[in-house]
Amino acid sequence: MALYAEVEKLEESDQLVRYRFTDIKGVERTMTLNKVTEDMSVEDGVEDMLYRAVARKVAIAWTREGSAPDRLLVQS
């Protein structure tokens, strides 16, 4: 199964970062990174394979760079 998503930062505060990710069909979803607890959550509650791939990519970037990336591309 192939995964593809374009990830874009919507807003950032001292504690949270909101992201929008769009799949290959153009369906948009949003997720949140809690910078304090380093937890991720998807706003629609559906933790499917695409969300997990996006969350993993954001988490890796957050840990490596120490900042929330503005844009990412997820492909596999």
Side-chain angles (χ1 to χ4, degrees):
M1 174 181 197
L3 296 174
Y4 175 86
E6 295 176 10
V7 185
E8 177 183 9
K9 185 190 311 181
L10 295 175
E11 59 187 304
E12 182 173 4
S13 70
D14 291 340
Q15 295 182 352
L16 300 174
V17 185
R18 277 186 78 228
Y19 284 98
R20 168 179 45 221
F21 60 102
T22 307
D23 70 12
I24 198 160
K25 295 179 182 177
V27 176
E28 291 184 358
R29 298 172 64 196
T30 53
M31 62 171 275
T32 304
L33 161 65
N34 183 317
K35 294 195 250 181
V36 177
T37 63
E38 296 185 338
D39 289 329
M40 303 277 199
S41 60
V42 64
E43 292 182 5
D44 64 9
V46 178
E47 294 188 7
D48 58 7
M49 291 291 290
L50 183 60
Y51 161 70
R52 289 185 187 114
V54 169
R56 185 176 328 114
K57 187 99 174 201
V58 170
I60 289 169
W62 169 252
T63 336
R64 285 186 183 160
E65 299 168 19
S67 63
D70 291 333
R71 295 175 97 45
L72 293 167
L73 188 61
V74 175
Q75 292 177 269
S76 77

